[in-house]
Amino acid sequence: MKVVKLQDILGTEHDVDGGNWVSRRLINKDVGMGYSVNDTIIKAGTETHIWYKNHLETVYCIEGEGEVVTLSDNKVWPINKDTLYALDKNDEHLLRAKTDMRMVCVFNPPLTGNEVHDENGVYPVDEG
């Protein structure tokens, strides 16, 4: 059994600031669950280019308002509280936040806990 409190993550190496977002890594690869879970704040007024070539991600919005634009078809998906989206095809996308958005993000394969996007919006895959 593992119990994690957000307050215990804040201010640690698993409280990662990516500029447009702050991601608190709650469950990471080292726990051995086969996925990772983040509590992420997307900052209001930002647009972030993301392309998880190495990961599948499911995101559940619990606060805020914004949109996702899938770049393969330029489709705009409105995102607000109680909306879930799954990037099931390693979708390259833009994430735009109209207000601060609080998201619960699940990654497979799991993150190690300290990743940030590279210049292409990609998280590296951990080979270890």
Side-chain angles (χ1 to χ4, degrees):
M1 176 76 173
K2 179 133 180 96
V3 175
V4 179
K5 294 186 178 201
L6 179 60
Q7 67 194 28
D8 296 335
I9 300 297
L10 299 177
T12 73
E13 71 276 6
H14 296 301
D15 184 6
V16 180
D17 188 336
N20 290 354
W21 49 267
V22 177
S23 183
R24 293 77 65 96
R25 285 35 187 318
L26 302 169
I27 295 288
N28 300 301
K29 181 179 180 179
D30 63 348
V31 175
M33 297 292 294
Y35 58 85
S36 57
V37 179
N38 303 340
D39 180 328
T40 300
I41 305 296
I42 309 299
K43 297 175 185 175
T46 62
E47 176 180 275
T48 306
H49 173 245
I50 305 171
W51 184 17
Y52 295 126
K53 295 190 322 186
N54 304 312
H55 298 84
L56 297 176
E57 182 190 29
T58 298
V59 179
Y60 182 62
C61 179
I62 58 176
E63 293 177 13
E65 181 182 357
E67 62 189 20
V68 173
V69 180
T70 47
L71 296 182
S72 63
D73 57 9
N74 288 316
K75 185 161 182 175
V76 177
W77 305 86
I79 305 297
N80 50 38
K81 183 179 183 216
D82 299 332
T83 303
L84 179 141
Y85 64 93
L87 300 160
D88 60 342
K89 294 179 180 64
N90 303 93
D91 307 274
E92 186 174 7
H93 61 286
L94 299 174
L95 178 57
R96 297 177 179 146
K98 294 179 183 175
T99 66
D100 280 353
M101 300 172 71
R102 187 171 180 196
M103 318 287 249
V104 176
C105 308
V106 179
F107 285 91
N108 181 14
L111 301 180
T112 60
N114 58 3
E115 291 88 347
V116 294
H117 300 126
D118 69 12
E119 65 279 358
N120 297 310
V122 176
Y123 281 155
V125 68
D126 180 44
E127 301 292 342

